[in-house]
Amino acid sequence: MSAVTISALSFSNVAFAQRAEKFVNVGYDSDGDAYLLDRTSMQKREPGFGSVLKIYQMKNNLMSEFLVRTSCGDESLSVVGFRTYSQDGVKLTEDKVRQQVQPRTDSPVSQAMTYYCHAIGARGW
């Protein structure tokens, strides 16, 4: 193998590993499409939405982003926003919502909360 080929393979493996470290799978929809929690942005402030978790899903050449507000202490969980992006990364929609979600279930949103609460060492998780 040439040095260029080895470099290209090494670079792609590093890029894959970095992406794997950034996201954690928190569930699948009925079509088998994954929901991915962005570990690098957990509870960072998002203008207009507050401190949120971001969960992504790729489907039908679109990327959906769910903005989720959590409180480990009182076990409150709600989806507060939703965005859709084109495959080129252009934001197509942004909606504010307020949908309470039951914590400690098998839903992707609840699994994201469980991951986050474990990650920060929240009591009772």
Side-chain angles (χ1 to χ4, degrees):
M1 266 197 251
S2 71
V4 173
T5 303
I6 292 171
S7 294
L9 288 173
S10 296
F11 178 75
S12 66
N13 287 340
V14 169
F16 177 77
Q18 288 173 339
R19 187 175 47 204
E21 289 176 9
K22 180 176 179 172
F23 296 101
V24 63
N25 186 321
V26 291
Y28 297 93
D29 68 9
S30 60
D31 296 326
D33 296 311
Y35 290 92
L36 302 173
L37 171 64
D38 181 350
R39 295 174 52 207
T40 62
S41 68
M42 291 192 308
Q43 290 300 83
K44 290 186 178 173
R45 290 199 57 74
E46 185 69 22
F49 296 95
S51 298
V52 296
L53 303 178
K54 294 180 180 179
I55 302 170
Y56 296 96
Q57 184 184 44
M58 294 294 295
K59 191 175 195 90
N60 301 324
N61 295 321
L62 297 174
M63 181 178 71
S64 298
E65 177 185 51
F66 302 88
L67 304 170
V68 180
R69 189 169 299 143
T70 64
S71 175
C72 301
D74 64 6
E75 295 190 18
S76 67
L77 175 63
S78 58
V79 176
V80 294
F82 178 83
R83 295 177 180 143
T84 305
Y85 296 89
S86 70
Q87 59 187 354
D88 300 329
V90 176
K91 183 172 30 172
L92 303 174
T93 64
E94 178 177 280
D95 295 308
K96 288 186 177 184
V97 296
R98 185 72 173 179
Q99 180 183 353
Q100 291 293 115
V101 179
Q102 188 72 9
R104 298 186 188 252
T105 67
D106 289 334
S107 74
V109 174
S110 179
Q111 291 301 304
M113 179 180 185
T114 299
Y115 180 89
Y116 169 70
C117 294
H118 280 282
I120 64 167
R123 188 176 302 175
W125 288 88

